[in-house]
Amino acid sequence: MKILVITDFATYVGVAKTSEALQECLLSDGNIVERYPIYERFGSLLERVLSLMRAFNYLRSARFDRIILMHFEAIFIGVLCRFFQPKGIFINAIYTDLHGYYSGVSVFKKFLLRLIFLVIRNDQIVFDSRESELKAVERFRFTYTRTIYNIMVPPA
């Protein structure tokens, strides 16, 4: 199986380490796995927009059996690429208390998040905590969710 793992940052410790471990695990099962970080580092708004455009063009031109989208920016890119990729191949990984995050953002962000949630509602969505999963399913009515606990132990 050909799998693409899209992450938000290449150097952000938690996401970078988790995506590396995921890639190694999938490779050990005999898959072909590519990891694509949207951002190489933190930058200005213009640099971030250009990085998002590059990621969009890359995903639009590539063909994979599964695409794992790790965190919000990657999920956003996946939403934009729905027109170019077959349905049923996106797996959305969320590493935050989605219900708590949603409760604390502005009305405009809530509107954008609701649009994204509407699009990904029937995708596979993976959470790193059972409590976060249950709150999100209750609040946003997601259909296919799972919890995969983060077993990575950060270095001291």
Side-chain angles (χ1 to χ4, degrees):
M1 185 176 298
K2 190 173 177 187
I3 301 171
L4 174 64
V5 178
I6 298 182
T7 64
D8 49 3
F9 287 96
T11 56
Y12 193 65
V13 176
V15 175
K17 293 293 181 191
T18 303
S19 63
E20 285 172 15
L22 177 62
Q23 183 179 23
E24 289 174 19
C25 179
L26 293 170
L27 283 169
S28 71
D29 281 347
N31 297 295
I32 299 168
V33 183
E34 234 179 274
R35 199 162 43 104
Y36 184 93
I38 296 172
Y39 310 116
E40 292 298 324
R41 57 182 170 74
F42 289 99
S44 69
L45 179 61
L46 179 61
E47 289 174 318
R48 291 176 70 127
V49 169
L50 291 173
S51 292
L52 282 172
M53 289 173 51
R54 280 193 300 274
F56 175 74
N57 286 331
Y58 177 77
L59 186 56
R60 189 177 57 145
S61 65
R63 291 289 172 226
F64 294 90
D65 298 312
R66 295 282 182 270
I67 299 172
I68 301 172
L69 306 163
M70 299 182 76
H71 233 310
F72 291 123
E73 285 91 346
I75 291 170
F76 178 67
I77 292 295
V79 167
L80 295 177
C81 290
R82 301 292 164 140
F83 304 107
F84 308 108
Q85 297 286 340
K87 290 194 181 272
I89 66 168
F90 294 98
I91 301 169
N92 303 283
I94 299 175
Y95 298 98
T96 190
D97 174 11
L98 198 54
H99 180 271
Y101 176 77
Y102 181 84
S103 298
V105 298
S106 68
V107 173
F108 179 71
K109 275 191 177 177
K110 283 181 181 175
F111 175 74
L112 288 177
L113 287 171
R114 280 289 185 174
L115 287 177
I116 291 171
F117 298 161
L118 183 65
V119 172
I120 70 170
R121 175 177 289 169
N122 294 318
D123 286 355
Q124 180 69 56
I125 302 173
V126 177
F127 292 88
D128 67 345
S129 124
R130 182 74 174 153
E131 183 182 2
S132 294
E133 176 189 4
L134 293 175
K135 284 182 189 176
V137 166
E138 181 181 327
R139 175 84 185 248
F140 307 114
R141 306 283 185 239
F142 294 134
T143 309
Y144 302 105
T145 61
R146 297 279 185 272
T147 298
I148 299 178
Y149 297 99
N150 189 354
I151 60 169
M152 294 293 297
V153 177

